[in-house]
Amino acid sequence: MIRWLFKYSVVLYLINTILLAIKYTFGLGNIIFLGIMGLYAILIFVNPQQFKSVLLHKSFLFLLILTVLNILYLVVFDSISNIESLKFLSARAIQFSIIPLAIYHHLEYYKDKFLNHLVYIIFGIVLLGLLLNPYIFSGRYGGIVWNPNALSSFTTIAFGIVLLKNEKKSNFDYVLLFTFLIISLVTGSRGALVGIALAYVLRYGFSTRNVMYAIISIVLYLFVLNLNFDTSLNRLGTQSLLGDRTLQYHYAIETLKEKPISGWGLDKYAFIDTRLLPSHYIDQIVGAHNGYLAILVQYGMLFSIFIFYIIFSKSFTVIKYFNKYKVGYTAIYSFLIIYTLLASIYESLMTGINEFHTMLFWFSLAILSFSKFKHEN
């Protein structure tokens, strides 16, 4: 049983992030999250040597260093009496413990079957959404997911996985690609365009095929602009890629200026000081919508320097090492890393705990780091 829990720890965690994104299961997701945190805290406590040997492995040291930085930040700039900060620290520490343990003992599963299972789960969410909410062109489509941007994140990632999975595609693969592409677009998320384009570039490079796709996309874009829809293409044409994000960036920067060195604390991720907002923006601006600004506001500039160095140096190292692979699990996890780094410009990724895309980002860094170690040895 314990072996099973270790093997599927990341799967359980990701499924719960999906439950938290669905309207009808949000409450259940919160309860399960507490159960997962408690369960794996106990497993860490009763198996300290096993966790120690894995966490100190060269491939996963960056996760341990980030946990140590969180502890140092709590002591230096935050407060050990801040219960919410302690919750964040504990949850992040457990998250960064189960990721390497799952990879270390079950690498083969996470190189292949895991990615298929992830695609099937997302496909199931899409089908259930279409069954309960089939009106995909009546405004921004969210299916059963409470936020259309969250659904877009699921389907864009699934699209990238299927496209980069292998050289030869089955008929079902094409059904999946078409379904994920359409749903990504009808969510109205402009970020979906970034992820889809990135997946094609990584798969085919700047080839004749991609030039043809680009021409087709331009024609489709011009056609859709004349329709009264709220798709990603329509919103890009009327609002630009960042839209109202620039206003959110402004107030995130103003929030940072109040505490530029120390930051606002571990419990203040994706935070904006509402005292700075005009009354008519209170309900509109709820966060930085930028992962980099979110980290700066949370940790301040001093600790953010170390965090950004770890993120970018580890990302660059593993992507450069595996850049010759156009398909397969290394290409997929490289896609997830690059997509997250780009998407963090317009979404508060990399810092949250219960966020599907963020969890996959840290997992991707860890599995490619471990795979690189295995390749070299």
Side-chain angles (χ1 to χ4, degrees):
M1 182 63 178
I2 293 179
R3 182 178 176 84
W4 186 92
L5 288 171
F6 285 161
K7 178 176 181 178
Y8 294 108
S9 57
V10 171
V11 178
L12 294 174
Y13 199 105
L14 282 171
I15 289 175
N16 195 57
T17 64
I18 294 174
L19 292 177
L20 288 166
I22 297 174
K23 311 168 190 176
Y24 315 106
T25 57
F26 179 78
L28 176 63
N30 276 321
I31 295 172
I32 293 176
F33 172 72
L34 294 176
I36 290 174
M37 292 295 102
L39 174 62
Y40 284 100
I42 293 171
L43 290 177
I44 292 172
F45 180 76
V46 299
N47 296 278
Q49 288 303 120
Q50 185 175 15
F51 274 86
K52 180 182 176 182
S53 62
V54 174
L55 293 178
L56 291 177
H57 191 281
K58 177 183 176 181
S59 305
F60 307 125
L61 271 179
F62 74 99
L63 295 176
L64 181 60
I65 293 171
L66 286 168
T67 300
V68 172
L69 283 174
N70 279 335
I71 295 171
L72 288 175
Y73 178 85
L74 184 73
V75 173
V76 175
F77 288 131
D78 208 327
S79 171
I80 57 174
S81 62
N82 187 335
I83 301 301
E84 293 304 315
S85 291
L86 285 173
K87 286 181 181 178
F88 177 89
L89 173 63
S90 302
R92 180 66 94 201
I94 293 172
Q95 182 187 51
F96 282 177
S97 298
I98 65 177
I99 287 174
L101 194 71
I103 294 169
Y104 186 84
H105 292 293
H106 304 286
L107 177 63
E108 293 305 314
Y109 168 75
Y110 287 102
K111 285 166 60 174
D112 183 25
K113 291 183 179 179
F114 164 70
L115 295 167
N116 290 329
H117 292 164
L118 201 58
V119 167
Y120 298 150
I121 290 171
I122 295 172
F123 188 59
I125 292 169
V126 170
L127 292 181
L128 186 58
L130 290 172
L131 181 66
L132 298 176
N133 180 14
Y135 309 105
I136 63 174
F137 291 114
S138 58
R140 297 189 62 190
Y141 183 73
I144 58 172
V145 178
W146 68 272
N147 186 340
N149 287 336
L151 178 60
S152 168
S153 177
F154 297 158
T155 54
T156 303
I157 286 172
F159 177 89
I161 292 173
V162 177
L163 185 67
L164 298 168
K165 186 172 62 174
N166 48 45
E167 290 280 359
K168 194 171 183 180
K169 301 283 186 290
S170 66
N171 290 334
F172 184 57
D173 286 334
Y174 287 113
V175 171
L176 290 172
L177 286 171
F178 178 77
T179 302
F180 292 141
L181 175 63
I182 295 301
I183 297 300
S184 296
L185 293 178
V186 298
T187 62
S189 170
R190 289 157 290 183
L193 302 175
V194 175
I196 291 166
L198 174 65
Y200 271 110
V201 170
L202 291 179
R203 175 63 185 88
Y204 300 110
F206 295 99
S207 61
T208 304
R209 178 181 297 197
N210 265 0
V211 172
M212 291 175 58
Y213 285 144
I215 294 172
I216 294 171
S217 299
I218 292 171
V219 173
L220 178 64
Y221 173 68
L222 294 173
F223 172 74
V224 172
L225 278 182
N226 294 306
L227 302 176
N228 189 28
F229 293 150
D230 206 10
T231 68
S232 303
L233 296 172
N234 293 93
R235 296 184 76 230
L236 178 64
T238 58
Q239 302 178 28
S240 80
L241 183 60
L242 295 178
D244 61 353
R245 294 291 195 264
T246 53
L247 190 62
Q248 294 160 338
Y249 301 164
H250 168 73
Y251 287 108
I253 292 171
E254 292 302 310
T255 300
L256 174 63
K257 286 180 180 178
E258 293 189 325
K259 297 183 180 181
I261 303 300
S262 64
W264 283 78
L266 294 180
D267 61 321
K268 298 295 192 298
Y269 47 91
F271 174 74
I272 284 181
D273 184 3
T274 54
R275 295 173 300 178
L276 299 172
L277 300 177
S279 58
H280 56 281
Y281 283 145
I282 293 290
D283 295 328
Q284 297 179 36
I285 300 178
V286 295
H289 271 95
N290 180 293
Y292 305 105
L293 284 174
I295 290 173
L296 283 165
V297 169
Q298 184 180 12
Y299 291 95
M301 288 191 279
L302 182 60
F303 273 76
S304 292
I305 290 172
F306 298 104
I307 294 170
F308 287 144
Y309 174 77
I310 292 171
I311 289 173
F312 286 114
S313 62
K314 178 58 70 173
S315 299
F316 177 79
T317 300
V318 296
I319 290 171
K320 181 182 178 182
Y321 187 83
F322 291 110
N323 69 349
K324 63 182 177 181
Y325 298 100
K326 300 300 182 185
V327 293
Y329 83 97
T330 58
I332 292 170
Y333 288 121
S334 295
F335 160 73
L336 289 171
I337 293 170
I338 299 171
Y339 182 33
T340 305
L341 294 176
L342 292 174
S344 292
I345 297 172
Y346 51 83
E347 293 291 351
S348 297
L349 301 177
M350 298 190 293
T351 183
I353 300 294
N354 280 320
E355 210 284 317
F356 178 81
H357 198 154
T358 294
M359 177 64 172
L360 277 178
F361 170 71
W362 293 113
F363 180 81
S364 298
L365 281 178
I367 194 170
L368 288 187
S369 179
F370 188 58
S371 296
K372 178 176 178 290
F373 173 84
K374 298 280 280 187
H375 276 233
E376 292 174 340
N377 294 274

